[in-house]
Amino acid sequence: MSEPIGRFLIVDYDRSRVDDVRRMSTYARESYGTAVTLVRADPTSVDAGLCDEVIDLDPLRPDFADAAERLLGPRRDQFVAGVVFSDDAVRSGAELLARLGLRTDSPELAAGAACKHAYRRSEAAHRKLLTAQRLLVPDVARVDSCEGLADFARWHPEGFVVKPAREGDNRGVVVVGPGDCVDAAFAEVGPYVENGVICEELLPYRREYSFDGLGSLSFVTEKVRAAGRYPVELAQILPARLDHAGRSAVERAGRQVNWLVGQCEGPFHHEIRLSDDGSRTAVVAPHRRPAGMKIWDLAYWVYGVDLHQRWVDAAFGNTAGPALSAPACSAATVMLGVKTDRDFAPEDVVAGPSPLEYAVAATAAAHRLLPGELVVTGFDWLSPARRRLHATPRDGADFAAQGCVVLTAPGTDMGEIVRTLREVWLDTLDACTGRFPAPAQVPAQVRGEHDAETETELEPEARAQVPVMGGAGR
């Protein structure tokens, strides 16, 4: 093997993105001939297997950029490109890349993409500009006591949201409605007070989307959120089911957010609410990193573009590339929960195909789809450990599993597919763990009725995987 031509630097990543980091590392080696260096706190043997060099350094350290420059600066000539792959490192990592002379989006404006309070302050500073673009700037206040939360409640009797300033995955997010106990709400966010908790007025728009992409490439993803006290994300649908006016409004808001957080060539994922008439928007949260819930994988299946590879290309200065093609299908990531509050571990499931495959077969039958028109393209248990899960999830980790499906049936509404799939999954999971008899719509294989007629429900072609660029398990 020839000697590497320089090094590709990855600054931090969330543990759920290990497959993405592996693909990007492999692509950088194979396409650019570089070695790969990873900087993150408390690296594990998994990290060592992803990259050629791993450096233990916490991006949340106040002196991270200084400490990292002392370590890497003496060999700065080795580093030819780099990316920042986490909210925690979005500011400090960008600062490090800039100090090493590597391409990066603005370090100065990056705080708005990591801290919700910093972003709201930036919005307030540009209120007139944003209002002219029909983007609502909500009232917000930082609170560090129950008394502060009660004061905000008095100013917003119609209800409000209390949330950690820096957490993701809907951790600690609580909707406080009229008459709700503020003491109970503050108790739920108590663990996050040290790093900042904010209250925001309720956004008056119900529909939610995300403006996603990389550099000049963008697309709109539809979010399915739970109603009630814990507004967790239940599914992502691509392409979003939107008319031209609504799509234009979301795109307009997303571009404004990119200006505020300093995004230029890198990735973005901005969560945006849309009014019922499709004319007005409000930002839920901005991010200068790839979207979660495998949205970039959905984009590959729908548009045929591998954004992880394009991100590596952009880091090396190769920002040109084809525009997104017309959607070839519909795709969705679906969060899969439990029917009742219970302790659960994947080991409870009987051996055989995943419960999602059975649930997809039942969903396809319910919607009278042809074989191969609804296929599973990804499935993951969220944790191998035994955990207490709630029938009403409280955050993005309060689910048993996550699955991805692709729909190629013309005229079929992916939103209805998602709704049916999430309902059928609950009974299927119980059947696969032997808790309750399966209802009639669950395939006979789960009910134990194996016969020649029912065996065909899970023929291989009905489970065929959509081809994936590079073959890495998407």
Side-chain angles (χ1 to χ4, degrees), residues 158-237:
E158 73 286 355
F160 60 96
V161 179
V162 58
K163 62 177 76 171
R166 298 188 64 94
E167 291 293 321
D169 215 12
N170 283 102
R171 287 185 293 271
V173 178
V174 179
V175 175
V176 183
D180 286 354
C181 176
V182 295
D183 289 349
F186 188 75
E188 293 201 52
V189 297
Y192 308 102
V193 169
E194 183 177 353
N195 290 321
V197 168
I198 61 173
C199 293
E200 294 180 354
E201 70 171 295
L202 285 175
L203 302 179
Y205 313 138
R206 295 180 298 115
R207 295 187 290 170
E208 186 167 336
Y209 304 87
S210 61
F211 183 65
D212 296 297
L214 172 75
S216 62
L217 287 180
S218 67
F219 54 93
V220 178
T221 307
E222 180 177 349
K223 291 180 176 291
V224 180
R225 277 195 183 272
R229 187 174 183 83
Y230 305 105
V232 300
E233 295 179 10
L234 303 176
Q236 309 284 349
I237 297 174

Side-chain angles (χ1 to χ4, degrees), residues 139-141 143 147-160 176 182 199-202:
D139 189 17
V140 63
V143 296
E147 291 74 20
L149 194 149
D151 287 341
F152 196 87
R154 280 191 288 272
W155 283 103
H156 298 85
E158 73 286 355
F160 60 96
V176 183
V182 295
C199 293
E200 294 180 354
E201 70 171 295
L202 285 175

Side-chain angles (χ1 to χ4, degrees), residues 121-138:
R121 290 199 303 268
S122 179
E123 274 189 330
H126 299 86
R127 184 182 299 271
K128 289 183 178 180
L129 181 152
L130 298 176
T131 301
Q133 297 299 315
R134 299 176 183 170
L135 196 156
L136 171 70
V137 177

